[in-house]
Amino acid sequence: MELSLPGKLIKRLSDTGIKSLDQNPLRSLGIIILTVLVLAAVFAPYLAPHDPKQTGIPHQSPSSEHLLGTNDLGQDVFSELIYGTRVSLTIGFLSGIISIVIGVTVGIFAGYFRGWAEELLMGTTDVFLLIPSLPLMIILAAYLNPSMWNIIVVVGLLGWCSTARLVHSRVLQVREMQFIESTRALGYSDIYIIIRHVLVNTKDIIYAKFSLAVASAMLSEASLSFLGLGDPLNISWGEMIHFAFSRGGFANDLWWWYLPPGLMICVTLLAFIMLTMEGRKDSKILELI
Amino acid sequence: MSLAKGRARFFAGKALRYGITLVIILSINFAIPRAMPGDPMINLLGEDAVRVDRQMLDELRAQYGLDRPIQDQYIEYMLGAGRLDFGYSIHKNLKVTELIYDRFFWTLVLIFPSIAIGGLLALVLGAIAGFRQGSKVDRLLTGVSIFMYSCPSFLFAMVIVTIFSFHLGWFPLGNISSGRTQGFAYLLDIGYHLFLPVAILSAFEAAYIFLIVRNSITQIMGEYFIFVAKAKGLSARVIELRHVMRNVLPQFISIMALNFGFMVSGALIIEIVFSLNGMGTLIYDSVMSRDYPVLQGAFVFLTIFVLAANFLADVLYGITDPRIGDSMNTGKMI
């Protein structure tokens, strides 16, 4: 029976697990936190009480005028934090998308076609898994101009290996299923089978892995920015901590300068991890980490 | 196929794979400064090269062979890498290799105890949580380790330093030693200075590996041979120690190895917060002054170190898992 458009939409929504949210408090909490953060990022100019670039009296403690005090240039830390949400989330999402697209493509092709394609693709993945990613990211980011887009590309291009391995092992199971064999016997092309059947049957781990990929991209970005490789024009949370650390905020114990951005990173990462929790059966999904 | 032969083949295959990985890594390191935007001379020598006098610059240009065809440069570079020669840091006025040797030792001093302590902690806590799945202890430990996973290491280190060093004054703020002592007192002094960094790094290692150990115990507990062991009437203690933990071991070793790169990255960050004189601070300084030769040398050194550790772990894995090389069973490795 063909459903009407709104009916289809509701079915779509309940397919993605919206319905089961009331049995899954952790996932609901994750969604709420992320919604708030995305709203804060979108409406940053309306929410921020000050212009984050406007300078004033430095090193002020938190007060009603400056909720989280000011930094060494007298900029309002709270406003900087809100604008930083934009940068950190953008970098996390875009790098996550790059890494998930590469990882899923590599994993599916290696798992579905087997043979030399598998040897080549998974061999490459194993090589990349062995290289410690932070030093390589540091080198690449140090050569490129310090800009947000370069960081997105560097983090995205180096974060796909674990996704590829995960998707590969799932596809190995899926391709042996009976219905795949029947579809193949019916003469459908490989690309059709991959898109309509294999991809659909791996989507649950792809969604979960995407959430974790964004989390780990944000963590990588924070580390790079902490090392001073961030974009000086788009200050992220990690970079706020870098400035607090290198310009004496840490040595002088100005906690309002470095602690809030750090806690924001923690809360955001926790929210992304919570999205992947499946109620009581959480043990399985934790393997994705 | 006999077991010994299969095993030899397993190790040979591994050695070949690591050899290829090493060549790829060295090639990446060769390609990056030449492919990146900008003058390859600057990319190879660091931003300070602009300020060096002409004659030395010409000498260095000849030494790097930037005027020769690319394949000659590649061969030259590979030979240099074989001698562990990674060029000269104009910024620090030292050979990169010397600079790294000096710092690398302290990074190792930080990493090895952390891996040992963190790994043991993960094994014990993972067993506690895994055997009592769903209990309060399990939920507490899992919660803590997920929190650690989502906390950037530099933030955690900064908070710990603020609490224990700034406010309580129990530990020094940084540095490797206070530098006035000798002999045994010197070692004690280093231990005192390294206590916090090692504790933090161990906690991160433990948090990460804990989840894996716990999950693999849960998985093994559901297997048939455990069911059989229970049916035989073996006590819970015997099943846990003799059957479950024995089977967790291979996976534990391989995840420890995979985690090695993560630990190196963590150590770099922690060193910077504690201003310890290791590879992390070296990389930090080099990033600040765009001292590219040092960055490249550090990357290659750390990567070779991680490769070697992984190779060692693969050998250990082969020893702890007798199914390796047994061609009937290799498909069903846990």
Side-chain angles (χ1 to χ4, degrees):
Chain A
M1 184 188 74
E2 191 69 15
L3 287 167
S4 62
L5 192 63
K8 251 185 182 170
L9 201 66
I10 289 168
K11 194 175 170 300
R12 267 273 166 82
L13 282 176
S14 60
D15 272 355
T16 50
I18 300 279
K19 241 184 194 169
S20 61
L21 274 186
D22 46 338
Q23 298 138 25
N24 200 337
L26 277 178
R27 185 178 283 178
S28 322
L29 186 60
I31 289 178
I32 292 170
I33 295 175
L34 287 178
T35 314
V36 171
L37 287 172
V38 169
L39 288 178
V42 171
F43 297 106
Y46 304 100
L47 289 172
H50 298 270
D51 178 4
K53 297 209 157 54
Q54 187 199 342
T55 53
I57 306 162
H59 301 316
Q60 284 186 65
S61 338
S63 60
S64 55
E65 175 64 19
H66 296 286
L67 278 177
L68 290 170
T70 56
N71 64 13
D72 63 328
L73 297 173
Q75 294 160 334
D76 184 46
V77 175
F78 184 63
S79 308
E80 228 186 341
L81 200 65
I82 292 177
Y83 275 91
T85 315
R86 276 186 171 180
V87 183
S88 291
L89 283 184
T90 310
I91 295 179
F93 267 116
L94 294 183
S95 309
I97 288 174
I98 294 178
S99 79
I100 210 83
V101 166
I102 300 177
V104 168
T105 314
V106 169
I108 283 196
F109 277 89
Y112 185 80
F113 289 113
R114 312 290 311 261
W116 63 267
E118 185 180 31
E119 294 280 319
L120 183 72
L121 291 173
M122 294 325 285
T124 317
T125 309
D126 284 344
V127 168
F128 272 94
L129 265 178
L130 276 176
I131 302 176
S133 57
L134 188 65
L136 186 55
M137 282 182 196
I138 291 173
I139 286 212
L140 289 173
Y143 276 119
L144 297 163
N145 296 323
S147 93
M148 203 170 115
W149 306 106
N150 285 338
I151 290 191
I152 291 173
V153 172
V154 166
V155 172
L157 285 185
L158 292 175
W160 53 270
C161 307
S162 62
T163 311
R165 271 181 64 144
L166 195 74
V167 171
H168 172 241
S169 63
R170 169 59 79 91
V171 171
L172 283 185
Q173 291 167 9
V174 171
R175 80 186 294 277
E176 299 303 329
M177 288 181 185
Q178 298 264 311
F179 74 94
I180 299 279
E181 205 174 320
S182 6
T183 332
R184 212 178 292 149
L186 283 172
Y188 283 104
S189 73
D190 287 333
I191 298 296
Y192 176 85
I193 297 174
I194 286 177
I195 292 174
R196 289 303 297 264
H197 296 294
V198 179
L199 208 55
V200 171
N201 280 289
T202 40
K203 74 170 188 216
D204 53 333
I205 61 164
I206 294 177
Y207 286 156
K209 190 65 202 178
F210 175 63
S211 187
L212 294 177
V214 174
S216 77
M218 287 186 67
L219 206 54
S220 303
E221 182 272 328
S223 302
L224 282 179
S225 296
F226 174 73
L227 289 168
L229 290 162
D231 186 344
L233 297 177
N234 296 298
I235 310 270
S236 69
W237 291 331
E239 211 170 354
M240 286 175 73
I241 304 178
H242 163 71
F243 287 132
F245 185 76
S246 64
R247 294 196 201 144
F250 173 57
N252 295 317
D253 199 16
L254 308 176
W255 57 267
W256 59 84
W257 189 1
Y258 66 83
L259 207 55
L263 290 180
M264 290 306 282
I265 296 174
C266 278
V267 168
T268 316
L269 291 191
L270 273 180
F272 276 113
I273 293 175
M274 277 187 232
L275 279 191
T276 66
M277 298 271 190
E278 278 181 351
R280 303 196 58 77
K281 286 194 303 173
D282 63 346
S283 67
K284 207 177 127 209
I285 216 76
L286 283 176
E287 282 169 33
L288 299 179
I289 293 179
Chain B
M1 198 196 295
S2 77
L3 214 68
K5 208 171 155 194
R7 188 166 279 205
R9 182 176 271 200
F10 168 78
F11 287 133
K14 286 283 175 196
L16 184 69
R17 216 186 87 198
Y18 281 101
I20 293 173
T21 310
L22 186 61
V23 171
I24 291 176
I25 285 162
L26 288 174
S27 305
I28 290 176
N29 194 43
F30 173 80
I32 286 174
R34 288 164 178 84
M36 283 290 168
D39 180 9
M41 195 66 201
I42 303 272
N43 286 350
L44 277 170
L45 296 174
E47 300 276 311
D48 282 10
V50 195
R51 272 172 259 145
V52 171
D53 66 294
R54 277 257 133 238
Q55 198 194 342
M56 185 173 174
L57 213 57
D58 284 340
E59 256 172 49
L60 284 168
R61 194 184 288 267
Q63 192 192 325
Y64 280 98
L66 282 174
D67 38 2
R68 275 179 290 151
I70 195 104
Q71 62 269 27
D72 286 8
Q73 289 180 42
Y74 185 68
I75 292 167
E76 187 83 353
Y77 163 82
M78 280 302 199
L79 291 175
R83 292 192 305 268
L84 290 175
D85 177 8
F86 295 105
Y88 191 80
S89 161
I90 298 179
H91 183 69
K92 301 236 170 185
N93 218 357
L94 267 173
K95 285 193 90 167
V96 171
T97 319
E98 277 170 36
L99 208 56
I100 289 176
Y101 276 147
D102 211 34
R103 304 293 194 92
F104 196 52
F105 173 74
W106 290 110
T107 301
L108 291 185
V109 169
L110 181 59
I111 285 181
F112 278 122
S114 311
I115 284 181
I117 298 170
L120 269 179
L121 213 60
L123 206 55
V124 171
L125 295 178
I128 291 174
F131 290 131
R132 289 169 193 69
Q133 215 190 15
S135 67
K136 270 188 186 147
V137 192
D138 174 36
R139 262 182 282 168
L140 179 74
L141 288 173
T142 311
V144 169
S145 66
I146 289 179
F147 177 75
M148 291 286 291
Y149 178 80
S150 67
C151 185
S153 49
F154 50 87
L155 177 78
F156 191 69
M158 282 161 88
V159 171
I160 295 282
V161 169
T162 308
I163 295 174
F164 289 98
S165 303
F166 278 142
H167 290 295
L168 295 174
W170 290 354
F171 292 98
L173 286 170
N175 288 332
I176 220 102
S177 74
S178 29
R180 283 185 303 274
T181 48
Q182 276 183 336
F184 188 62
Y186 176 66
L187 288 181
L188 272 184
D189 191 42
I190 287 176
Y192 175 58
H193 279 81
L194 283 182
F195 181 84
L196 278 186
V198 168
I200 292 169
L201 210 50
S202 315
F204 273 99
E205 169 91 344
Y208 193 92
I209 301 210
F210 163 83
L211 291 173
I212 314 266
V213 171
R214 174 185 173 275
N215 288 336
S216 102
I217 287 179
T218 318
Q219 198 187 344
I220 291 169
M221 286 298 269
E223 299 246 346
Y224 277 124
F225 71 89
I226 299 297
F227 181 72
V228 172
K230 276 183 192 155
K232 281 201 301 191
L234 294 180
S235 73
R237 175 74 26 108
V238 172
I239 295 177
E240 286 173 5
L241 291 180
R242 289 270 301 273
H243 295 271
V244 180
M245 290 319 272
R246 178 67 184 80
N247 282 288
V248 168
L249 214 54
Q251 208 191 2
F252 175 70
I253 289 173
S254 67
I255 193 67
M256 288 280 278
L258 259 185
N259 215 24
F260 226 88
F262 171 79
M263 281 301 272
V264 168
S265 307
L268 300 182
I269 300 273
I270 302 265
E271 271 174 18
I272 294 167
V273 176
F274 282 88
S275 53
L276 303 176
N277 223 9
M279 294 293 279
T281 38
L282 183 68
I283 289 177
Y284 188 64
D285 292 344
S286 312
V287 165
M288 288 292 168
S289 57
R290 292 288 188 271
D291 192 357
Y292 297 125
V294 176
L295 279 181
Q296 288 192 351
F299 166 65
V300 171
F301 251 78
L302 291 175
T303 311
I304 291 177
F305 173 60
V306 171
L307 276 189
N310 273 279
F311 185 65
L312 196 71
D314 268 337
V315 173
L316 273 180
Y317 188 104
I319 294 170
T320 49
D321 194 341
R323 283 167 299 188
I324 284 200
D326 185 351
S327 52
M328 300 290 286
N329 275 327
T330 39
K332 286 203 290 182
M333 278 189 287
I334 294 172

